[in-house]
Amino acid sequence: MQLDSIEGNTQKLDGGSMFGNCPRALWERWAPADELHRIDLACRCLLIRDEHEGRSRAVLLETGIGAFFEPKLRERFGVQEEEHVLLRSLAALGLRPEQIDVIVLSHMHFDHAGGLLLPWSQTQGALELAFPNATYVVGEDAWARALSPHPRDRASFIPGLCALLESTGRVEIVSGERSDTLGPNYSFSYSEGHTPGLTLTRVQSPRGPITFMGDLIPGAPWVHLPITMGYDRYPERLIEEKRAMLEGVIAEDGWAFYTHDPKIAASKVAVDERGKFRAVETLEHLHWT
């Protein structure tokens, strides 16, 4: 098994929204804002190359925001690049889009699922999948939310994407701990604080377990329990889910993988002398063989 952190398109989003009720004087120590009060965010993915049922395969945890937005919306949501950066990053590792076998999505918000689509510059707004041979693994409740969003988060979903995925005949909807597609080295836990059915994938790697934290813990600053996003639907519930997750990572001496942290791809977690969780042994990039 080989694991690599893969960079996708980057964003600039409002810092206050990303840090909820945390005072700016505090969060700006971690994430300096520009003149529009926006902070830098990554849309990082995790690539796993392993063997399953006697053959080699490529598994991608998420696809980032991609480049599907038209120029006006790309500017509104702070997407920095016109090209589909994830495809370039995969090419640098010798992988073409058609060689991706499985894509796992924590949820269907556009900054996690938009990279499934070819860039607007190629399609002029038509929805076309960038990974033609992949099987798509999605949590049951996350999928249901995308099909029937709440008015509060309706704008976070891509109209027509679920139907496009369904048309491939290669969607596995999961609700338990395991996936038939992925096999025994992968397991799931679920969170409700950010969005219904946020699906957190744990990979049993040769260097120990690593969990893709998605929007439960989008980056190292959010390891601190009180720090939540304005986008979270139930911040208090999310804090308790985060506590349980971090305690579990520490107990198994595992790793946390961060999708939105612009500088840190993964870390271990410790509790300091004040009883606060913090990211330790941080990795800017992850390349495990």
Side-chain angles (χ1 to χ4, degrees):
M1 181 182 284
Q2 178 175 325
L3 288 82
D4 290 277
S5 58
I6 304 291
E7 300 303 320
N9 292 70
T10 59
Q11 278 187 279
K12 289 181 179 289
L13 282 182
D14 182 78
S17 296
M18 287 301 298
F19 285 100
N21 65 352
C22 177
R24 179 169 180 164
L26 179 57
W27 63 251
E28 204 162 20
R29 300 177 194 172
W30 304 318
D34 66 10
E35 67 281 0
L36 297 177
H37 317 295
R38 304 176 305 175
I39 63 172
D40 293 329
L41 294 170
C43 286
R44 184 180 296 105
C45 311
L46 180 58
L47 173 69
I48 303 106
R49 284 175 279 190
D50 64 6
E51 289 193 4
H52 181 67
E53 297 181 345
R55 72 176 188 90
S56 299
R57 66 175 180 178
V59 177
L60 192 60
L61 303 191
E62 301 217 338
T63 60
I65 197 168
F68 76 97
F69 277 132
E70 62 177 289
K72 181 174 71 173
L73 291 178
R74 189 174 74 241
E75 181 178 356
R76 178 184 301 174
F77 291 108
V79 182
Q80 296 300 291
E81 306 88 2
E82 182 178 342
E83 68 170 311
H84 198 321
V85 175
L86 174 61
L87 300 186
R88 182 183 70 193
S89 298
L90 289 169
L93 293 177
L95 283 172
R96 301 185 305 277
E98 58 267 27
Q99 292 176 298
I100 299 300
D101 298 289
V102 185
I103 296 174
V104 186
L105 299 164
S106 69
H107 60 307
M108 299 294 292
H109 287 172
F110 61 67
D111 56 325
H112 297 259
L116 294 171
L117 300 168
L118 288 174
W120 186 89
S121 60
Q122 290 182 230
T123 67
Q124 301 300 297
L127 298 187
E128 186 174 343
L129 291 173
F131 302 95
N133 300 319
T135 295
Y136 305 93
V137 179
V138 190
E140 182 178 42
D141 289 345
W143 181 262
R145 182 68 161 206
L147 291 173
S148 182
H150 189 275
R152 186 175 183 271
D153 65 355
R154 187 180 305 278
S156 296
F157 297 99
I158 304 170
L161 179 56
C162 287
L164 183 62
L165 293 176
E166 277 192 306
S167 71
T168 68
R170 298 188 305 273
V171 177
E172 182 189 6
I173 305 297
V174 296
S175 58
E177 186 179 351
R178 300 288 177 178
S179 156
D180 293 337
T181 300
L182 290 170
N185 287 324
Y186 301 79
S187 60
F188 303 121
S189 58
Y190 300 92
S191 165
E192 302 294 327
H194 176 68
T195 190
L198 183 74
T199 305
L200 307 166
T201 305
R202 177 183 176 275
V203 184
Q204 185 59 56
S205 83
R207 299 201 188 186
I210 182 167
T211 301
F212 193 102
M213 293 297 177
D215 280 343
L216 176 66
I217 308 174
W222 292 266
V223 169
H224 185 39
L225 282 184
I227 305 302
T228 62
M229 295 187 288
Y231 303 110
D232 297 329
R233 59 201 283 260
Y234 299 130
E236 292 184 4
R237 182 169 183 175
L238 184 138
I239 287 170
E240 295 309 314
E241 293 172 337
K242 184 161 58 168
R243 184 198 306 274
M245 173 63 74
L246 293 172
E247 288 174 347
V249 169
I250 292 172
E252 66 180 7
D253 193 25
W255 294 83
F257 186 90
Y258 308 116
T259 185
H260 287 314
D261 195 303
K263 297 180 180 179
I264 298 174
S267 78
K268 289 196 170 183
V269 180
V271 177
D272 66 19
E273 64 280 359
R274 296 172 295 173
K276 295 182 178 180
F277 292 102
R278 60 191 181 95
V280 297
E281 298 183 43
T282 59
L283 303 175
E284 184 177 358
H285 304 287
L286 188 147
H287 176 63
W288 290 353
T289 58

